[in-house]
């Protein structure tokens, strides 16, 4: 399973492909189960670089009944900055954010995203 991600040119925000448009929340991203369809979407995104920079496919896994990026780096990009839990997309909360925070995958650590928690 794959998703397509990039960074928006106007503000650097991490965005995800959904049927030809770019959305901000990973939960809204289109998940591809066909490699050829995913590569076609990536090709279309790379051919129209007026909104985003460097679109690329990422692997996704199921986490708590929802999808999450497999790579630790991509989970951090989907959650927003790690400087404080009330910043970025993680501040929005919801089941999709919890799934991203608890996802396991490739990482040098335990594979969990444990963002800074202030007391």
């Amino acid at each position: 399973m794959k998703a397509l991600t990039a960074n928006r040119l106007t503000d650097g925000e991490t965005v995800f492909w959904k049927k030809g448009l770019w959305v901000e929340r990973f939960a809204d991203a289109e998940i591809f189960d066909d490699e050829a369809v995913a590569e076609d979407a990536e090709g279309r995104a790379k051919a129209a670089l007026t909104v985003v920079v460097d679109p690329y496919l990422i692997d996704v896994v199921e986490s708590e009944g929802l999808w999450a990026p497999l790579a630790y780096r991509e989970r951090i990009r989907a959650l927003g900055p790690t400087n404080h839990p009330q910043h970025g997309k993680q501040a929005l909360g919801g089941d999709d954010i919890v799934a991203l925070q608890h996802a396991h995958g490739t990482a040098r650590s335990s594979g969990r995203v444990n963002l800074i928690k202030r007391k």
Side-chain angles (χ1 to χ4, degrees):
M1 305 300 268
K2 303 268 188 195
L4 182 57
T5 187
N7 288 89
R8 193 167 42 214
L9 284 171
T10 56
D11 59 5
E13 183 73 34
T14 300
V15 291
F16 304 93
W17 181 268
K18 181 178 182 178
K19 301 186 187 304
L21 301 173
W22 294 102
V23 296
E24 290 187 9
R25 284 182 77 109
F26 178 79
D28 297 331
E30 183 175 353
I31 305 298
F32 300 100
D33 59 359
D34 183 317
E35 187 76 26
V37 174
E39 289 174 358
D40 179 59
E42 181 183 29
R44 286 186 285 137
K46 286 182 176 180
L49 295 179
T50 58
V51 177
V52 299
V53 63
D54 194 27
Y56 60 95
L57 292 168
I58 59 173
D59 292 313
V60 297
V61 295
E62 191 173 346
S63 173
E64 300 192 11
L66 299 170
W67 293 103
L70 176 64
Y72 184 75
R73 173 186 187 268
E74 299 305 332
R75 291 194 304 270
I76 289 174
R77 289 181 72 241
L79 287 168
T82 59
N83 62 331
H84 196 280
Q86 281 72 44
H87 295 165
K89 297 172 185 174
Q90 62 192 325
L92 301 173
D95 292 339
D96 59 313
I97 298 299
V98 172
L100 287 169
Q101 291 171 331
H102 294 145
H104 291 275
T106 58
R108 291 190 177 111
S109 65
S110 67
R112 289 192 174 269
V113 177
N114 291 321
L115 303 177
I116 295 172
K117 295 184 179 157
R118 304 200 187 255
K119 294 182 180 185

